[in-house]
Amino acid sequence: MRRAAVFAHYSNTNEIEDYVVYYLKNLKNFVETLVFVSDSSIKEEELSKITPYVNHIIAEPHGEYDFGSYKKGYFYLKENGILNSTDELIFANDSCYAPLFPFGEMFDAMKKNGADFWGNTQNYTEKITHKNLEHLQSYFLAFKKNVFSSNVFDDFITNISKEEKKGIIIEKYEIGLTLALQKAGYKYDSYCNTSKIRNNTHSHSYSSLVLNDRSPFLKRGLLLLKPKDFPYPLFIKNLIKKTEYDFELIEKDIRKNRTKLPILQKSCFFLTSLIRTIKWRVKKLFE
């Protein structure tokens, strides 16, 4: 299966964090064309970090958030004829640490799925519209050819415009995209079963999502914005036994982008790095 991906990025410091480079490096193994679109003016030395892994870079402020970046990437692929030879189109963004588990597990499972479009997780919301509207979460979406080559999809992407409030963006675009495609007769599904039975899984059921469903994604905002709600030491203690992800990427990002760290969190960073080093050395001994 030939895939093309659009990766949406934003940085208020015009930088590309190492966890993003790692994400792109791993995603490129599963896509023929990877377009990086940043809603920022990224420095040349920063862009050099990702040039080995991406086929095209668009780095200019546009103020339309992730869906604006998806739009720009989609039209680049369309106008250059790349979508003609593409079987699956992916939209992804930098709001997650990934892959905690190999992307291949997810792609293999969903390749056998009969859905026309899919995501890693689904959700429903009542806060914005006061309605129970199920939808795929937009940090990772995949569309089969019958979907992304349709007029419904093209019209939806074309009409993405700048919005001032996040709630409106979620309602019009994240929820709106699933509803528009569903109304047109396309079927969707999500990779993680936990998200089908629980709401806001990344906030309230992240342990089950990752440890049971083997979600490749861990939401960055959990660690940067909600440290009190996220028992990082206990979670990592369980996760570190199951994944090869380099947790130094997470720790580096948190140290840099979260100014106030609890003492326990700082201690956990050191402990996690130590455990990873020990595991690596033991593995080398038996090779």
Side-chain angles (χ1 to χ4, degrees), residues 122-125 131-136 174-176 178-179 182 188 195-196:
Q122 60 190 61
N123 199 24
Y124 67 85
T125 182
K131 296 178 182 179
N132 183 350
L133 298 177
E134 295 183 1
H135 62 280
L136 293 175
E174 182 170 77
I175 298 174
T178 297
L179 295 182
Q182 191 177 32
Y188 74 89
S195 70
K196 299 176 185 179

Side-chain angles (χ1 to χ4, degrees), residues 14-25:
N14 295 325
E15 296 175 299
I16 301 176
E17 302 295 348
D18 289 345
Y19 82 89
V20 173
V21 178
Y22 183 81
Y23 188 151
L24 293 170
K25 179 181 178 181

Side-chain angles (χ1 to χ4, degrees), residues 18 32 72 78 107 126 136 155 188 260 276 279:
D18 289 345
E32 278 66 37
K72 286 181 175 290
K78 179 183 177 182
F107 283 122
E126 295 176 343
L136 293 175
D155 289 344
Y188 74 89
K260 296 182 180 180
R276 295 292 291 186
K279 283 183 65 178

Side-chain angles (χ1 to χ4, degrees), residues 73-85:
Y74 165 75
F75 277 109
Y76 170 81
L77 293 169
K78 179 183 177 182
E79 291 166 2
N80 286 275
I82 297 171
L83 291 180
N84 295 333
S85 58

Side-chain angles (χ1 to χ4, degrees), residues 57-283:
I57 296 173
I58 302 172
E60 55 187 15
H62 54 71
E64 295 182 358
Y65 295 91
D66 290 338
F67 274 92
S69 291
Y70 292 158
K71 178 177 70 173
K72 286 181 175 290
Y74 165 75
F75 277 109
Y76 170 81
L77 293 169
K78 179 183 177 182
E79 291 166 2
N80 286 275
I82 297 171
L83 291 180
N84 295 333
S85 58
T86 296
D87 301 307
E88 191 168 60
L89 172 64
I90 294 167
F91 287 166
N93 69 31
D94 63 350
S95 66
C96 295
Y97 301 115
L100 298 184
F101 301 102
F103 279 137
E105 294 181 9
M106 175 182 65
F107 283 122
D108 287 345
M110 299 312 291
K111 187 177 181 179
K112 302 172 185 176
N113 189 292
D116 298 302
F117 65 108
W118 58 274
N120 185 58
T121 51
Q122 60 190 61
N123 199 24
Y124 67 85
T125 182
E126 295 176 343
K127 292 182 179 180
I128 301 169
T129 60
H130 303 292
K131 296 178 182 179
N132 183 350
L133 298 177
E134 295 183 1
H135 62 280
L136 293 175
Q137 294 188 281
S138 60
Y139 64 87
F140 191 92
L141 296 168
F143 310 91
K144 300 291 177 60
K145 195 177 191 72
N146 62 323
V147 176
F148 70 73
S149 62
S150 69
N151 290 332
V152 173
F153 186 86
D154 188 77
D155 289 344
F156 186 92
I157 300 299
T158 300
N159 286 301
I160 291 171
S161 59
K162 186 174 182 178
E163 303 291 346
E164 298 299 329
K165 297 182 179 180
K166 184 177 180 180
I168 296 177
I169 295 171
I170 294 173
E171 181 180 352
K172 288 185 67 174
Y173 303 132
E174 182 170 77
I175 298 174
L177 179 56
T178 297
L179 295 182
L181 295 179
Q182 191 177 32
K183 185 178 180 180
Y186 299 111
K187 297 179 180 180
Y188 74 89
D189 200 358
S190 58
Y191 173 60
C192 294
N193 289 323
T194 301
S195 70
K196 299 176 185 179
I197 58 177
R198 301 176 189 171
N199 195 32
N200 295 321
T201 49
H202 278 289
S203 296
H204 305 309
S205 303
Y206 52 83
S207 182
S208 176
L209 200 65
V210 173
L211 299 176
N212 296 335
D213 291 347
R214 292 177 67 84
S215 168
F217 306 95
L218 177 63
K219 272 291 186 177
R220 183 182 183 224
L222 275 176
L223 282 72
L224 292 182
L225 304 176
K226 299 180 180 180
K228 293 182 180 179
D229 299 331
F230 190 83
Y232 186 83
L234 178 61
F235 180 74
I236 295 303
K237 180 181 178 182
N238 293 324
L239 181 59
I240 203 170
K241 302 172 185 177
K242 298 187 176 185
T243 177
E244 293 298 317
Y245 188 83
D246 185 359
F247 286 93
E248 187 175 340
L249 297 172
I250 297 177
E251 294 155 11
K252 182 178 179 181
D253 183 42
I254 294 176
R255 283 195 297 266
K256 178 180 178 181
N257 294 299
R258 201 174 80 206
T259 55
K260 296 182 180 180
L261 289 174
I263 294 178
L264 182 61
Q265 192 99 18
K266 289 182 179 179
S267 300
C268 181
F269 289 157
F270 172 76
L271 180 61
T272 302
S273 297
L274 179 61
I275 293 173
R276 295 292 291 186
T277 301
I278 293 173
K279 283 183 65 178
W280 180 82
R281 291 185 180 279
V282 170
K283 183 178 180 182

